[in-house]
Amino acid sequence: MKLKGKQTWRFENDIYLSSCGTAVGPIEMEGPLGKMFDKTYDNLYCGEENWELAERKLMTDAIESCLKKAHKKKSQIDFLLAGDLLNQIVTSNYVAREMEIPFLGMFGACSTSMETLALGAVLVDGGYASNVVAAASSHNATAERQFRYPTEYGGQKPDSATFTVTGAGAALVSREKSKIKITEATIGKVVDLGVNNPFDMGSAMAPAAHDTILAHLRDTGRDASEYDLIVTGDLSRVGSTILLKLLEDEGVHLQNNFSDCGVMIYSPDQPVFAGGSGCACSAVVTYGHLVEEIKNGHLKKIFVVATGALLSPLMIQQKETIPCIAHGVVLELDEGVPNG
């Protein structure tokens, strides 16, 4: 691995995203990408007694689906890197208890999907592991209960609010050839421009995405047009608009090659306010939809920039502003690897 510029890793070996697994809840199943997910549930309980157990079920499903596709047993996995939104990342902790795989728990809020993927690639590239699973999850009802108001409360929300995605995504990182190579990762800095409204996460996170995208382009010396797609994690319609304006002010123009996972996962007529958010947002869209677009040759080079709001209920109660971060990973089509 080589450091390019100040924030970007270039992997020296051929590192592959060997397989993926996804699981989602009912609203995600009904969205435009619903058929792309491996496991779907028609209610938020996912056959469990409570929402927290449901989230564990989703992460377990995603990991097991990922391993099944790769024809791997749990005993063949060197490390599990996982995170979620709940206090002390309890979803990941309890899933790791059942998996019995050496575990590194990670928290980057909604940026966790790319944080785990980037560090998984570092471990494999450096020879510290052969097979690493990177996973992330979120659940609408568990996140609402922790960060805002319990779902039963029925509180009204403004149009700027985002809707936490119920789901989980997992990816196997290894040197076993596949159609998708992990070539670079840009690690973000914490950015806080003073937003303190937990019902407007898009506005809070857009500056962090802006900072990471600019850092990546600066470090690599590339133009944004060299990517078939630059996709953010969960800025929603509000945050995406702000990001595009911030980049335009810097002379970076993203139009036809930009999208946001929080916008892609839901239809405009679904009751999701400004769009999707949560650890699972970028995870399930990337591992369920975008990887297939690469495999099919519709996309050849993409930069996935997952954004995260590093807040807690306690800090919001103390009137703190919301520090945010964004981590990005470059995924490329390896045209030398045959289909199948």
Side-chain angles (χ1 to χ4, degrees):
M1 183 190 77
K2 291 183 178 179
L3 179 65
K4 298 186 67 174
K6 293 185 177 181
Q7 295 173 235
T8 300
W9 296 328
R10 175 74 186 183
F11 302 115
E12 296 184 88
N13 297 296
D14 289 340
I15 308 301
Y16 292 92
L17 200 163
S18 301
S19 68
C20 298
T22 54
V24 300
I27 297 183
E28 296 73 22
M29 176 182 68
E30 296 167 358
L33 305 181
K35 294 182 179 179
M36 305 300 297
F37 305 125
D38 298 313
K39 182 77 173 181
T40 59
Y41 289 94
D42 60 7
N43 68 77
L44 289 175
Y45 285 95
C46 305
E48 300 292 335
E49 293 182 357
N50 59 56
W51 293 322
E52 284 73 22
L53 288 175
E55 186 172 344
R56 291 185 211 171
K57 176 65 172 173
L58 291 164
M59 182 179 281
T60 299
D61 286 342
I63 294 171
E64 290 181 344
S65 178
C66 175
L67 296 181
K68 183 178 180 180
K69 291 180 190 178
H71 307 290
K72 297 286 186 186
K73 298 178 181 178
K74 290 185 288 185
S75 60
Q76 294 176 280
I77 305 304
D78 299 308
F79 298 103
L80 168 64
L81 278 55
D84 55 88
L85 291 179
L86 300 187
N87 286 339
Q88 289 77 53
I89 56 170
V90 291
T91 298
S92 304
N93 295 342
Y94 281 80
V95 169
R97 178 185 68 179
E98 302 304 316
M99 289 287 166
E100 296 184 326
I101 299 170
F103 171 60
L104 289 168
M106 304 180 68
F107 180 79
C110 304
S111 71
T112 300
S113 64
M114 292 303 108
E115 182 180 26
T116 54
L117 188 63
L119 287 174
V122 168
L123 291 174
V124 175
D125 188 55
Y128 303 108
S130 297
N131 297 289
V132 174
V133 169
S137 72
S138 57
H139 189 291
N140 186 271
T142 65
E144 289 297 312
R145 177 151 58 195
Q146 178 166 296
F147 287 99
R148 299 182 182 97
Y149 300 107
T151 302
E152 300 95 330
Y153 184 76
Q156 293 184 325
K157 298 178 183 178
D159 290 340
S160 62
T162 51
F163 189 88
T164 304
V165 169
T166 298
L172 174 62
V173 182
S174 76
R175 295 186 65 178
E176 295 182 17
K177 289 186 179 296
S178 77
K179 297 291 290 184
I180 302 175
K181 289 179 69 174
I182 305 171
T183 58
E184 292 169 336
T186 298
I187 304 305
K189 296 182 293 186
V190 175
V191 178
D192 185 346
L193 294 191
V195 177
N196 60 5
N197 181 4
F199 292 104
D200 187 8
M201 295 299 218
S203 296
M205 292 187 291
H210 165 258
D211 191 78
T212 298
I213 291 170
L214 287 183
H216 179 77
L217 297 177
R218 179 194 66 232
D219 288 350
T220 60
R222 296 193 192 108
D223 187 84
S225 62
E226 296 181 45
Y227 291 93
D228 297 314
L229 180 67
I230 294 178
V231 58
T232 47
D234 43 9
L235 295 184
S236 74
R237 284 180 286 275
V238 172
S240 295
T241 302
I242 295 171
L243 171 63
L244 291 175
K245 179 63 169 63
L246 290 173
L247 290 172
E248 285 178 1
D249 290 345
E250 299 284 348
V252 178
H253 303 284
L254 296 179
Q255 293 298 335
N256 296 331
N257 66 334
F258 171 77
S259 192
D260 182 80
C261 295
V263 176
M264 297 168 69
I265 194 169
Y266 297 124
S267 299
D269 59 348
Q270 287 184 288
V272 294
F273 306 100
S277 64
C279 292
C281 187
S282 56
V284 301
V285 173
T286 300
Y287 300 150
H289 171 61
L290 295 178
V291 295
E292 293 302 317
E293 290 292 284
I294 298 173
K295 289 179 182 178
N296 294 331
H298 300 150
L299 298 171
K300 294 187 177 181
K301 188 173 186 176
I302 70 173
F303 185 39
V304 184
V305 185
T307 47
L310 305 174
L311 79 165
S312 75
L314 181 62
M315 293 299 99
I316 292 299
Q317 291 165 11
Q318 294 180 0
K319 308 302 181 184
E320 277 276 9
T321 54
I322 303 173
C324 297
I325 198 163
H327 301 301
V329 175
V330 177
L331 303 177
E332 298 187 38
L333 172 67
D334 189 333
E335 298 184 273
V337 177
N339 288 315

